[in-house]
Amino acid sequence: MHTQVAIIGAGPAGLLLSHLLHLQGIESVVLESRSRADIEATIRAGVLEQGSMDILNESGVGERMRSEGALHHGFELSFGGRRHRIDLTALTGKAITVYAQHEVIKDLVAARLAAQGTLLFEVSEVQLHNIDSEAPAVSYQHAGQAQHLQADFVIGCDGFHGVSRPSMPEHLRQDFQRIYPFGWFGILVESAPSSEELIYAQHERGFALVSTRSPSVQRLYFQCDPKDDVNNWSDDRIWAELHQRLENNDGWQLKEGRIFQKNIIGMRSFVTTTMQHGRLFLAGDAAHIVPPTGAKGMNLAVGDVRILSQALNDFYRHGRHDQLAAYTENALKRVWRAEYFSWWMTSLLHTFADASSFQQQMQRAELEFVVNSKAMATALAENYVGAF
Ligand code: RFL
Ligand code: PHB
């Protein structure tokens, strides 16, 4: 089999790239190791920046996002028993949409299949070949058969644990990484939202976050030991912890409900450079990871494939190589900015077990600075909505 662009991974990066290429008349094949049902049910991100919404809308896959997603014009920061609103729209003129990543995935899968796109699920043993030649290839197993896909380009959209990044020559790559000494315990709850807007809470017992998924489902998170086990946390223990971290003296109450999913995620910051070698390009989590505090991961994946689809279009339409050559440089400008913001917001809001009492006071002073200075609040808001 031959295609113009072989895409490894059907996450937001791979599916959106395939969709954008199709709109430009460029054919692609997407190879995904999991089943369609599995990728459409995996609960991950929730926040879309304006720029990500714009791409989904402009490329014709924004209809459900517009009707089912919730537009948020601000969020709240909670600390010291008080809550402070960050008015995103007043400070930046922009907003964000809370719309679950697996819903974006469903919309993109439906669009690719409606356009007769080739999307292969449950492939295994994916291997990349000849990436430094003009005829790269991918071998894999599908439906019990060994397959070989010849392509002009291979795009690694296979997430942090995929095969694409390790297929790049080690001596050409430099990795930058920070692993945080905490994780997030995430739950899905059957209940109406406790708050119309997201609440990011700093508390001496640890960070907590109130988000939503729909008018009847809440998404809540709290900082935990990354090595902890969800089985150590009964529903009662979870609620007691969340009440302590979130409630303050304005009478607001967290709404409880049936908890129907619990998971723990580790937190890391990671960037690999270069994001390309020969005919292999990396996009999204395959190349970089941010801790979820700034809600940037899926938005960075969208940003990468926007740049890459334009560069591939330049190549096929106009025979130009310059935008492809500049891909890593162009993508990394935005990536490092988001890495900085995600690290900063994580540091501002989490409890660090080894922080001295002086460092704790500095964290509190910084929070006061953010909510009391319009300049600081604007900087936070600009970064959060992705106005850069
Ligand atoms: P993905 O989504 O990991 O998709 C990679 C796909 O590749 C497949 N795959 C392979 N396929 C074939 N062969 C192989 N060898 C393969 N190896 C892997 C995988 O099965 C998978 O389907 O990467 P992508 O597309 O780069 O997208 C990145 C985003 O998923 C990620 O950055 C976000 O989920 C991060 N994130 C958030 N981002 C936001 O923008 N806003 C948020 O509010 C937000 N909240 C979050 C988050 C991530 C979280 N977790 C679980 C880490 C909240 C959480 C809890
Ligand atoms: C979510 O709703 O899953 C979510 C929201 C905001 C974040 C991270 C995750 O910063």
Side-chain angles (χ1 to χ4, degrees):
M1 192 167 33
H2 179 273
T3 190
Q4 289 176 302
V5 182
I7 299 173
I8 323 287
L15 289 168
L16 181 61
L17 178 62
S18 178
H19 174 63
L20 295 175
L21 292 177
H22 165 70
L23 296 180
Q24 293 162 347
I26 300 167
E27 62 168 40
S28 65
V29 169
V30 180
L31 304 174
E32 166 59 49
S33 55
R34 294 186 296 151
S35 68
R36 179 178 178 186
D38 197 6
I39 63 164
E40 292 190 346
T42 304
I43 306 295
R44 294 188 77 177
V47 174
L48 288 168
E49 294 172 352
Q50 182 96 46
S52 304
M53 294 189 281
D54 291 346
I55 294 177
L56 297 175
N57 281 327
E58 286 158 16
S59 66
V61 287
E63 194 181 320
R64 275 199 330 126
M65 174 186 72
R66 285 194 301 278
S67 62
E68 293 174 27
L71 198 62
H72 287 222
H73 295 283
F75 65 81
E76 307 218 46
L77 281 179
S78 166
F79 61 93
R82 282 175 299 132
R83 274 203 270 148
H84 309 262
R85 182 158 190 267
I86 302 294
D87 190 331
L88 297 172
T89 305
L91 293 166
T92 68
K94 296 191 174 178
I96 53 115
T97 288
V98 177
Y99 184 62
Q101 178 168 327
H102 67 280
E103 302 295 346
V104 176
I105 297 278
K106 282 187 206 164
D107 297 341
L108 288 167
V109 169
R112 288 310 296 124
L113 295 179
Q116 265 96 47
T118 310
L119 202 50
L120 301 180
F121 294 105
E122 297 178 73
V123 304
S124 58
E125 295 173 41
V126 171
Q127 281 184 8
L128 279 47
H129 308 278
N130 306 328
I131 53 171
D132 44 14
S133 78
E134 288 190 2
V138 184
S139 60
Y140 57 97
Q141 291 277 332
H142 185 240
Q145 303 262 317
Q147 303 283 354
H148 193 80
L149 176 63
Q150 200 76 43
D152 302 336
F153 296 94
V154 178
I155 315 296
C157 299
D158 46 353
F160 186 68
H161 300 288
V163 293
S164 302
R165 193 178 64 255
S167 303
M168 305 239 296
E170 193 122 329
H171 68 278
L172 296 178
R173 270 182 44 214
Q174 188 178 5
D175 292 349
F176 301 84
Q177 169 154 265
R178 163 145 206 207
I179 296 176
Y180 297 86
F182 40 73
W184 278 13
F185 196 115
I187 58 171
L188 284 171
V189 181
E190 218 173 69
S191 80
S194 295
S195 162
E196 277 182 19
E197 296 187 332
L198 270 63
I199 304 173
Y200 288 85
Q202 185 270 340
H203 191 276
E204 61 190 21
R205 296 184 64 84
F207 170 76
L209 170 61
V210 177
S211 179
T212 55
R213 279 294 175 270
S214 74
S216 55
V217 175
Q218 292 194 84
R219 178 70 165 151
L220 306 174
Y221 298 97
F222 59 94
Q223 177 182 347
C224 67
D225 179 341
K227 293 190 208 73
D228 208 339
D229 182 339
V230 290
N231 296 315
N232 293 332
W233 288 82
S234 66
D235 293 5
D236 286 348
R237 185 175 171 213
I238 290 173
W239 289 120
E241 194 62 44
L242 282 167
H243 280 290
Q244 285 189 76
R245 296 189 192 186
L246 285 160
E247 272 162 26
N248 43 36
N249 39 29
D250 65 4
W252 175 85
Q253 285 252 312
L254 177 67
K255 284 200 181 83
E256 294 189 17
R258 187 176 71 85
I259 298 175
F260 63 96
Q261 197 189 89
K262 301 178 185 176
N263 67 339
I264 291 178
I265 58 155
M267 310 250 293
R268 77 170 81 221
S269 298
F270 174 86
V271 178
T272 196
T273 68
T274 169
M275 288 169 66
Q276 66 195 87
H277 173 62
R279 289 292 180 100
L280 171 65
F281 294 77
L282 304 178
D285 277 15
H288 40 73
I289 295 286
V290 285
T293 327
K296 287 281 169 264
M298 176 166 50
N299 294 294
L300 284 179
V302 169
D304 286 353
V305 301
R306 186 178 51 80
I307 297 173
L308 197 48
S309 66
Q310 282 165 0
L312 286 165
N313 192 42
D314 267 7
F315 173 84
Y316 282 112
R317 273 280 134 85
H318 311 294
R320 279 176 51 181
H321 290 74
D322 55 326
Q323 289 306 306
L324 280 173
Y327 168 67
T328 297
E329 195 187 334
N330 289 337
L332 281 182
K333 281 183 203 139
R334 192 159 172 276
V335 167
W336 276 118
R337 174 85 183 254
E339 288 285 344
Y340 170 73
F341 172 65
S342 304
W343 164 84
W344 175 76
M345 199 153 158
T346 301
S347 311
L348 183 69
L349 292 169
H350 289 74
T351 297
F352 288 77
D354 61 354
S356 65
S357 53
F358 179 78
Q359 284 167 322
Q360 289 168 18
Q361 292 300 330
M362 290 301 99
Q363 188 186 40
R364 173 57 64 87
E366 193 168 14
L367 279 162
E368 293 285 355
F369 189 12
V370 167
V371 299
N372 291 310
S373 148
K374 191 171 176 197
M376 283 295 280
T378 305
L380 166 59
E382 279 179 353
N383 279 285
Y384 195 80
V385 300
F388 51 81

